[in-house]
Amino acid sequence: MIVGFIGLGGMGAGVARTLLKGGEYKLKVWNRSTGPVEALVAEGAEAAADPAEALDADVTLSMLSQDDVIEEVVVSSGALDLARNGVVHVNLSTVSVAFADRMERVHRERGLFYVAAPVLGRPDVAAAGQLNVMCAGAPEAVAKAMPILETFSKKVWPLGDEAKRANVVKIAANFALASMIETLGEAGALVDGHGVPPAALYEVMTNSVFASPAYKTYAGLIADKAFEPAGFKMPLGLKDVRLALAAGEAGGTPLPIASLLRDAFIEAIASGDGAKDWSALARGSFRRAGRSWG
Amino acid sequence: MIVGFIGLGGMGAGVARTLLKGGEYKLKVWNRSTGPVEALVAEGAEAAADPAEALDADVTLSMLSQDDVIEEVVVSSGALDLARNGVVHVNLSTVSVAFADRMERVHRERGLFYVAAPVLGRPDVAAAGQLNVMCAGAPEAVAKAMPILETFSKKVWPLGDEAKRANVVKIAANFALASMIETLGEAGALVDGHGVPPAALYEVMTNSVFASPAYKTYAGLIADKAFEPAGFKMPLGLKDVRLALAAGEAGGTPLPIASLLRDAFIEAIASGDGAKDWSALARGSFRRAGRSWG
Amino acid sequence: MIVGFIGLGGMGAGVARTLLKGGEYKLKVWNRSTGPVEALVAEGAEAAADPAEALDADVTLSMLSQDDVIEEVVVSSGALDLARNGVVHVNLSTVSVAFADRMERVHRERGLFYVAAPVLGRPDVAAAGQLNVMCAGAPEAVAKAMPILETFSKKVWPLGDEAKRANVVKIAANFALASMIETLGEAGALVDGHGVPPAALYEVMTNSVFASPAYKTYAGLIADKAFEPAGFKMPLGLKDVRLALAAGEAGGTPLPIASLLRDAFIEAIASGDGAKDWSALARGSFRRAGRSWG
Amino acid sequence: MIVGFIGLGGMGAGVARTLLKGGEYKLKVWNRSTGPVEALVAEGAEAAADPAEALDADVTLSMLSQDDVIEEVVVSSGALDLARNGVVHVNLSTVSVAFADRMERVHRERGLFYVAAPVLGRPDVAAAGQLNVMCAGAPEAVAKAMPILETFSKKVWPLGDEAKRANVVKIAANFALASMIETLGEAGALVDGHGVPPAALYEVMTNSVFASPAYKTYAGLIADKAFEPAGFKMPLGLKDVRLALAAGEAGGTPLPIASLLRDAFIEAIASGDGAKDWSALARGSFRRAGRSWG
């Protein structure tokens, strides 16, 4: 089975590499810059000359940064018009609910299949093949994609027939992560204001009621002030909160915490933290208290 | 060793019962209403005629609802003036940072010891002897209290010499719980607005990055609309957020999410949910979207 | 001098009528639906067959609801390509800062002039020729437009050479109006919660420190529960707050009150107030207090 | 008629001086520090040895900073127990709704009269005898106080029989002022982010829809960065927002903007602006945008 792959950033390369190591699929990979392509070719992948060639496959995965990049690379470029008949395009990217609807339509119009399969996990998790994948689309297309998704996932969560259902779940989960970061920041600054190191609070929390991977990871990053190098950059956090707000507005749902997070991200970037990991959002809680953290 | 116990509400009775079952301590219990006292006497405790008698002990635990109740029962009543010389008063209640400072002082002035030991866990956890206890106070007093605390705890977290340090950590942890509830509510309403049941989102979240006791418990309560009977009533949630805001202000720390939570609690109570569990805070996210939940 | 006019809604018709009454200009008017055109033709205007014909003029004013409508009517339709050489297009509409930049460019590319002239005032003020106009664009184009603007304005405020400068000022002023409405709502619900009629508060406010047209108008609408018919509909309020948030993000400025207003507008619309005047935002303050208002 | 006066700070001294100039009343003044007393004695007032002596009068006005100061000076000191029989105590201070209820009761219990008469205006307005006074209390007491209040007021607003009614109106008006300051700050930072001086925005606003004393005064202070000397210090702004939040909670009214303001005040003070005028709240909007203002 030939598997196309479009987009070899930190996350995409990790996923592609896991597929390659599995040995079951022939991979045709494309990326805007050629470095990551060459690296994967050295490990056994084939280079696709353009996105259209990567879509000349049985199943093609894409992992790109945002709506307009996908629109340009896959649709405006004409690649989709040249795609292999019946190809299943599995989009791993975090996109807006509106764009998921649009992608579903433009694929259907061309007799192609679109599956939304956004993932939960940072680059190290992707490289370890332990992502959580939210998945939605036409049942036959999902069935075809499933073995591939399972190769690099800890678990695939089926969420129904409409692509956007997977996206809104992913968007909601990412919103919950951002809220957790801001909450850890505020709670940490709160105890710090009374002389208690945030790490002492986090130790209690993450070894009791909040003993989960997300809390352990992010409380650790914040306590250690380990904001660089970024696993997930600040502007991506802002983008994801924007997706939540847009999905909320489209569904008539006010999201006061998401609104607050949007301002916090804009503040973080305006304050010079744009290249840091989004866990550095916590710095704002200290800054607003006239103190500094990291 | 004689252990006094003041306050036999849902949490206090659970703790006292665990101590009693352990069989190591002679318990002298007091409660404003006599029902809970009689129940424990039937299981082997001794009834104290008043708070002062409960403070005629080696170590006395108290578990009352809030600052002014403790002030009245323990201080204004004159009980502390009659307390056994050298008694260690271990306050399990969630109190304000300012009140912790005050309690430390009024005990010291009388040659008594004060240990702050607020607990994390709901009544069922208390009854199971599996609480997490945050603990701070003079080392010799903490050492004396420790074996007792360990009897009913999963883990005791030592947080230093000043009592208020345990309280601010407890307050911060409870703030994080309230923030989690509101976030689950907003995230649930967000996906619901696109036709996805909140339970589907919660299943992904609590089996991946958010796999922790708190998320599992509260996502379950919200998904099942199991807001009654209340394990922790709405006004207590408001009280705890108020404690966080007061501690924040005292330490010069703005807490935007806590501020938002305060309004959400006031709204919930004003909307008729005052007798429900604080997980019903999530109903507000649906109500503000013109929908209803439970 | 021939003056084109595109868009004869409540605001546009008022402005066009004032120009017509002045008698100095020959008006060529276009509107998507023909009713408003016929009404103005009956008063002496000439009907333009399409937007391009309205742009075959010395100066053309447009007053349309939002960015994409203008894009479609003026640009995508090809009208701008057929515009009279050197025409000054004066856009009275409230548009985004990004769209102002774009409009400036597409006009320049065609050798045309673009002047941003968003207005402050409700339909009755427009009909009375008493609008406040914020104006920015190339000096020679502004000079040509000025006598026309002055015909229907109480005052024209020159704001510089870049079109977007007028728009960001208009957006900021509208944000301040929305903030005022929400504040009047919260303040009114606050006193109502203690038995004082909001009107009593508003009377003090608007006859002392807040004695301004905006406060008098909106406090009156709220006190009288006069939310229908709408002078400015709720979704337009949401749109304007969205413009403020977008302009803020583009300039790196967090706007916490605007974020809060966005949620309040979404809540108002989701709660069934979408057809009401944006002053009905105040109903939310009462609803969140478990009460109702109007 | 003998008029007592307790509290000669910036506001109180201005009011007392206006009464003295009127020549109709014999003034007995008291202040904790003696400087302001001596100044007024030099202008014809009589010095009261203690608060009790100032309450040995027909009508006694008080203007103190906050609830607990009044409690201490007037009640705990025993002054009220020694007050002249039937004295009307007119409290000009901005106090909490709960404290107004308490004061009403402690006066009634002693056969004395309590009138709440909080004022709107800064020290210069007080000195000019142009305050707006909100007034509530028993009709006969209000009638007795009225001529005195009118001596130093532009207008006295009668608000009913219960003292707290005047206080909640004053608290709501001050909340609206704080909201206006924050809004001016955000709007100013918004246009500044696009190269437009805030003064240009404020000029449009305060000469059109927002042409009121409050907007002119505060927009001027912000545009001129005239934050010192303070007419109304930052911590007083925080106190007043706290009063609004407490009154809101007591009446079951969520106040999202007030909550946001509370955090903004805490941030301003934590950031070193505690000695500045509360108009410096606007600095936060620029600071959060990574810029500075004044």
Side-chain angles (χ1 to χ4, degrees):
Chain A
M1 192 189 252
I2 298 178
V3 174
F5 207 107
I6 295 173
L8 300 170
M11 293 292 294
V15 170
R17 193 156 281 127
T18 303
L19 286 176
L20 213 51
K21 278 186 201 153
E24 288 187 62
Y25 306 106
K26 191 180 159 196
L27 243 69
K28 287 168 67 177
V29 303
W30 181 86
N31 192 62
R32 192 180 298 269
S33 64
T34 54
V37 174
E38 287 160 14
L40 276 160
V41 166
E43 298 177 40
E46 182 184 327
D50 50 32
E53 210 175 297
L55 280 157
D56 180 15
D58 298 300
V59 173
T60 299
L61 309 182
S62 61
M63 179 62 111
L64 294 163
S65 59
Q66 57 196 50
D67 296 12
D68 57 358
V69 173
I70 302 167
E71 177 76 27
E72 187 206 328
V73 167
V74 177
V75 187
S76 315
S77 70
L80 213 57
D81 298 312
L82 302 169
R84 183 184 295 190
N85 195 18
V87 67
V88 175
H89 176 196
V90 182
N91 192 358
L92 309 176
S93 321
T94 295
V95 302
S96 72
V97 162
F99 189 67
D101 281 346
R102 168 168 164 73
M103 286 301 271
E104 207 164 42
R105 199 179 63 245
V106 300
H107 283 73
R108 198 187 314 113
E109 288 167 357
R110 290 165 176 78
L112 311 175
F113 294 94
Y114 182 72
V115 171
V119 304
L120 211 46
R122 290 162 69 98
D124 54 331
V125 179
Q130 291 293 306
L131 292 167
N132 276 276
V133 179
M134 282 130 285
C135 181
E140 64 273 30
V142 167
K144 199 163 167 194
M146 193 54 79
I148 302 172
L149 295 176
E150 283 172 344
T151 307
F152 60 83
S153 304
K154 185 167 178 187
K155 172 125 183 153
V156 180
W157 303 88
L159 285 157
D161 290 12
E162 284 177 296
K164 75 162 183 177
R165 293 170 63 97
N167 293 106
V168 76
V169 167
K170 159 68 187 186
I171 287 168
N174 261 27
F175 153 61
L177 285 169
S179 175
M180 174 201 68
I181 294 172
E182 169 70 17
T183 300
L184 286 170
E186 293 190 18
L190 170 60
V191 300
D192 175 76
H194 289 278
V196 177
L201 165 67
Y202 299 156
E203 202 198 349
V204 176
M205 285 174 64
T206 61
N207 285 291
S208 59
V209 288
F210 294 108
S212 70
Y215 277 75
K216 283 176 192 283
T217 298
Y218 284 97
L221 292 173
I222 297 169
D224 298 344
K225 306 175 182 173
F227 304 126
E228 288 173 299
F232 189 73
K233 276 195 188 157
M234 202 62 86
L236 292 175
L238 174 55
K239 178 203 119 183
D240 281 4
V241 166
R242 230 190 272 123
L243 294 182
L245 290 168
E249 191 172 334
T253 312
L255 298 172
I257 288 193
S259 290
L260 186 154
L261 292 170
R262 182 179 169 281
D263 284 312
F265 277 114
I266 294 174
E267 179 181 340
I269 294 167
S271 299
D273 285 352
K276 295 199 173 73
D277 189 73
W278 69 334
S279 54
L281 199 65
R283 298 186 76 219
S285 298
F286 291 84
R287 188 173 47 239
R288 287 189 286 269
R291 304 193 293 266
S292 69
W293 190 259
Chain B
M1 194 189 247
I2 298 178
V3 174
F5 208 107
I6 295 172
L8 299 171
M11 293 292 294
V15 170
R17 193 157 281 125
T18 305
L19 287 176
L20 213 51
K21 279 186 199 150
E24 285 189 64
Y25 306 106
K26 190 180 161 197
L27 244 68
K28 287 167 67 176
V29 304
W30 181 86
N31 191 63
R32 194 181 296 270
S33 64
T34 54
V37 174
E38 287 160 14
L40 276 160
V41 167
E43 298 176 41
E46 182 184 325
D50 51 32
E53 207 173 300
L55 279 157
D56 179 17
D58 297 300
V59 172
T60 299
L61 309 183
S62 60
M63 179 63 112
L64 295 163
S65 59
Q66 58 197 50
D67 295 12
D68 57 357
V69 173
I70 303 167
E71 177 77 25
E72 187 205 328
V73 168
V74 178
V75 188
S76 314
S77 70
L80 213 56
D81 298 313
L82 303 169
R84 184 185 292 192
N85 195 19
V87 67
V88 174
H89 174 195
V90 181
N91 192 358
L92 308 176
S93 321
T94 295
V95 301
S96 72
V97 163
F99 189 68
D101 281 346
R102 170 170 162 72
M103 286 301 270
E104 208 164 41
R105 198 179 64 245
V106 300
H107 282 73
R108 199 187 313 113
E109 287 166 358
R110 289 165 176 78
L112 311 174
F113 295 93
Y114 182 73
V115 171
V119 304
L120 212 46
R122 291 162 70 98
D124 54 331
V125 179
Q130 292 292 306
L131 294 167
N132 275 275
V133 179
M134 282 131 285
C135 180
E140 65 272 31
V142 168
K144 200 164 166 193
M146 193 54 80
I148 302 171
L149 295 176
E150 284 172 342
T151 306
F152 60 82
S153 304
K154 185 168 179 187
K155 172 124 183 152
V156 181
W157 303 89
L159 286 158
D161 290 12
E162 284 177 294
K164 75 161 183 177
R165 293 171 63 98
N167 293 107
V168 76
V169 167
K170 158 70 187 186
I171 287 168
N174 261 27
F175 153 60
L177 285 169
S179 175
M180 175 200 67
I181 293 172
E182 170 70 17
T183 300
L184 286 170
E186 293 190 18
L190 170 60
V191 301
D192 174 76
H194 289 278
V196 177
L201 165 69
Y202 298 157
E203 201 197 350
V204 176
M205 286 175 64
T206 61
N207 286 291
S208 59
V209 289
F210 293 108
S212 69
Y215 277 75
K216 283 177 192 283
T217 298
Y218 285 98
L221 291 173
I222 297 169
D224 298 344
K225 306 174 183 176
F227 304 125
E228 287 172 300
F232 189 73
K233 276 195 188 158
M234 201 62 88
L236 292 174
L238 174 55
K239 177 203 119 183
D240 281 4
V241 165
R242 228 190 274 124
L243 293 182
L245 289 168
E249 190 172 335
T253 311
L255 298 173
I257 288 194
S259 290
L260 186 154
L261 292 170
R262 182 180 169 280
D263 284 311
F265 277 114
I266 295 175
E267 179 182 340
I269 294 167
S271 300
D273 286 351
K276 295 199 173 74
D277 189 72
W278 70 333
S279 54
L281 199 64
R283 298 187 75 219
S285 298
F286 291 84
R287 187 173 47 238
R288 286 188 289 268
R291 303 192 295 268
S292 69
W293 190 259
Chain C
M1 194 189 247
I2 298 179
V3 174
F5 208 106
I6 295 172
L8 300 170
M11 292 292 295
V15 170
R17 193 155 282 127
T18 304
L19 286 176
L20 213 50
K21 278 185 200 154
E24 288 188 62
Y25 306 106
K26 190 180 160 194
L27 243 70
K28 287 168 66 175
V29 303
W30 181 86
N31 192 63
R32 193 180 297 270
S33 62
T34 53
V37 173
E38 287 160 13
L40 276 161
V41 166
E43 299 177 40
E46 183 184 325
D50 52 31
E53 209 174 298
L55 280 157
D56 179 14
D58 298 300
V59 173
T60 299
L61 310 182
S62 60
M63 179 63 112
L64 295 163
S65 60
Q66 58 195 49
D67 296 13
D68 56 359
V69 173
I70 302 167
E71 177 76 27
E72 189 207 326
V73 167
V74 178
V75 188
S76 315
S77 69
L80 213 56
D81 298 313
L82 303 169
R84 184 184 294 190
N85 196 20
V87 68
V88 175
H89 175 195
V90 182
N91 192 358
L92 309 177
S93 321
T94 295
V95 302
S96 72
V97 162
F99 189 68
D101 281 346
R102 169 169 164 72
M103 286 300 271
E104 207 164 40
R105 200 179 62 247
V106 300
H107 282 72
R108 199 187 313 113
E109 288 166 359
R110 289 165 176 79
L112 311 174
F113 295 93
Y114 182 71
V115 171
V119 304
L120 211 47
R122 291 162 70 100
D124 53 332
V125 180
Q130 292 292 307
L131 294 167
N132 275 275
V133 180
M134 282 132 285
C135 180
E140 64 273 31
V142 168
K144 200 163 165 191
M146 192 54 77
I148 302 171
L149 296 176
E150 283 172 343
T151 306
F152 60 83
S153 304
K154 185 168 178 185
K155 172 128 183 150
V156 181
W157 302 88
L159 286 158
D161 290 10
E162 284 177 295
K164 77 161 182 177
R165 292 170 64 97
N167 294 106
V168 76
V169 166
K170 159 69 188 187
I171 288 167
N174 261 27
F175 153 61
L177 284 169
S179 175
M180 174 201 67
I181 294 172
E182 170 70 17
T183 300
L184 286 170
E186 294 190 18
L190 170 59
V191 301
D192 174 77
H194 288 280
V196 177
L201 165 67
Y202 299 157
E203 201 198 350
V204 176
M205 286 174 64
T206 61
N207 285 292
S208 59
V209 288
F210 293 109
S212 70
Y215 277 75
K216 283 176 191 283
T217 298
Y218 284 98
L221 292 173
I222 297 170
D224 298 345
K225 307 175 183 176
F227 304 126
E228 286 171 300
F232 189 73
K233 276 196 187 158
M234 201 62 88
L236 292 175
L238 175 55
K239 177 204 119 184
D240 281 4
V241 165
R242 231 191 270 121
L243 293 182
L245 290 167
E249 190 171 336
T253 311
L255 298 173
I257 288 194
S259 290
L260 186 155
L261 292 171
R262 182 179 169 279
D263 284 312
F265 277 113
I266 294 174
E267 179 181 340
I269 294 167
S271 300
D273 285 352
K276 295 199 174 73
D277 189 72
W278 69 332
S279 53
L281 200 64
R283 297 187 76 218
S285 298
F286 291 84
R287 186 173 48 239
R288 287 189 288 269
R291 304 193 293 267
S292 69
W293 190 258
Chain D
M1 194 189 246
I2 299 178
V3 174
F5 208 107
I6 296 173
L8 301 170
M11 293 293 294
V15 170
R17 193 157 281 126
T18 304
L19 287 176
L20 213 50
K21 278 185 201 153
E24 288 188 62
Y25 305 107
K26 191 181 160 196
L27 244 68
K28 287 167 66 176
V29 303
W30 181 87
N31 192 63
R32 193 181 298 271
S33 64
T34 53
V37 173
E38 287 160 14
L40 276 160
V41 166
E43 299 176 39
E46 183 184 326
D50 51 32
E53 210 175 298
L55 280 157
D56 179 15
D58 298 299
V59 173
T60 299
L61 310 181
S62 62
M63 179 63 111
L64 295 163
S65 60
Q66 58 195 51
D67 295 13
D68 57 358
V69 174
I70 301 166
E71 176 78 25
E72 189 206 327
V73 168
V74 177
V75 188
S76 315
S77 70
L80 214 56
D81 299 312
L82 303 169
R84 184 186 293 191
N85 195 21
V87 68
V88 175
H89 175 196
V90 182
N91 191 358
L92 309 176
S93 321
T94 296
V95 302
S96 72
V97 162
F99 189 68
D101 280 347
R102 169 169 164 71
M103 287 300 271
E104 207 163 41
R105 198 180 63 245
V106 298
H107 282 73
R108 198 186 315 114
E109 287 167 358
R110 288 165 177 80
L112 311 175
F113 295 93
Y114 182 71
V115 171
V119 304
L120 211 47
R122 291 163 69 98
D124 53 331
V125 179
Q130 292 292 307
L131 294 167
N132 274 277
V133 180
M134 282 131 284
C135 180
E140 65 274 30
V142 168
K144 200 164 167 192
M146 193 54 80
I148 301 172
L149 296 176
E150 284 172 343
T151 306
F152 60 83
S153 303
K154 185 169 178 184
K155 172 125 182 152
V156 181
W157 303 88
L159 286 157
D161 290 11
E162 282 177 296
K164 75 161 183 178
R165 293 171 63 98
N167 293 107
V168 76
V169 166
K170 157 70 186 186
I171 287 167
N174 262 26
F175 153 61
L177 284 169
S179 176
M180 173 201 67
I181 293 172
E182 170 70 17
T183 300
L184 287 169
E186 293 191 17
L190 170 59
V191 301
D192 175 76
H194 289 278
V196 177
L201 165 67
Y202 298 157
E203 202 199 347
V204 176
M205 286 174 64
T206 61
N207 286 291
S208 59
V209 288
F210 293 109
S212 70
Y215 277 75
K216 283 175 191 282
T217 298
Y218 284 97
L221 291 173
I222 297 169
D224 297 345
K225 306 175 183 175
F227 304 127
E228 287 171 298
F232 190 73
K233 276 196 187 157
M234 202 63 88
L236 292 175
L238 174 55
K239 177 205 119 183
D240 280 4
V241 165
R242 228 190 274 122
L243 294 183
L245 289 167
E249 190 171 336
T253 312
L255 298 172
I257 289 194
S259 290
L260 186 155
L261 292 170
R262 183 180 169 279
D263 284 312
F265 277 113
I266 294 174
E267 179 181 341
I269 294 168
S271 300
D273 285 351
K276 295 199 174 74
D277 188 72
W278 70 333
S279 54
L281 200 65
R283 297 187 75 219
S285 298
F286 291 84
R287 188 173 48 238
R288 286 189 289 269
R291 304 194 293 268
S292 69
W293 189 260

